[in-house]
Amino acid sequence: MDPVLHQLPAIYWTVPYVSSRFPGSSQVARLPSLEEGANCQLFAYEVLRHFGLNAPDLRSSELWADTQATVRVSAAQPLDLVLFNATDDAYGAHLGVWVNEGHVLHLCAEVGRPVVWEMTEFLKRQRYRVLIGIKRVVDRPQGTAD
């Protein structure tokens, strides 16, 4: 089994998709637990934090523009962030976590819970058809991919 997915606690697989629970929202400030639900960004950041990565609480366009806490990379490694959208605009982009060769863990509005899709599944959907790019969190604990 994939090492990232194998180490993810069961609670992460039952997080409901709630679009209003995004990084910086008043709902998340009041009740930070993933049990209350999350959007794709909040979910992805919490997955990275579970693995000791210092993921910034940025909206997708801010994340894409960020050069302090993350860097753009051309080839994904486990625990990199992957951004998708209907166009090449990072504003409102969907965010997932690369877990292994060609597979992305994401909190999917369409399904209502976390799923792992192959990259080809994103291409089949208009809203995810454009791969904006890949971002890697700079602050990585020892022993994780660089």
Side-chain angles (χ1 to χ4, degrees):
M1 175 177 256
D2 178 88
V4 171
L5 299 177
H6 180 68
Q7 294 177 43
L8 204 58
I11 189 69
Y12 283 80
W13 296 103
T14 61
V15 176
Y17 182 88
V18 179
S19 63
S20 60
R21 291 188 50 81
F22 55 86
S25 74
S26 59
Q27 288 184 23
V28 173
R30 281 193 312 274
L31 296 167
S33 171
L34 283 180
E35 293 176 24
E36 303 298 323
N39 78 342
C40 62
Q41 297 159 347
L42 181 63
F43 177 77
Y45 297 151
E46 289 303 319
V47 167
L48 295 187
R49 288 183 186 118
H50 171 75
F51 289 99
L53 297 176
N54 187 18
D57 281 329
L58 300 173
R59 301 304 303 267
S60 54
S61 56
E62 296 167 334
L63 172 65
W64 189 239
D66 175 64
T67 58
Q68 299 281 324
T70 63
V71 295
R72 294 180 186 183
V73 296
S74 58
Q77 295 179 354
L79 301 177
D80 283 346
L81 296 165
V82 186
L83 291 86
F84 301 92
N85 210 347
T87 69
D88 61 1
D89 186 358
Y91 182 82
H94 182 64
L95 193 58
V97 177
W98 185 272
V99 291
N100 63 29
E101 193 59 42
H103 291 85
V104 175
L105 169 67
H106 65 117
L107 183 50
C108 180
E110 179 181 321
V111 178
R113 63 177 173 75
V115 292
V116 177
W117 283 356
E118 291 185 20
M119 290 295 286
T120 55
E121 286 300 311
F122 291 95
L123 298 175
K124 293 177 186 177
R125 290 157 172 86
Q126 178 67 25
R127 67 199 277 178
Y128 306 136
R129 69 180 176 88
V130 176
L131 171 63
I132 303 288
I134 306 161
K135 295 291 299 243
R136 183 166 298 148
V137 173
V138 177
D139 183 10
R140 299 174 84 83
Q142 281 190 302
T144 61
D146 287 322

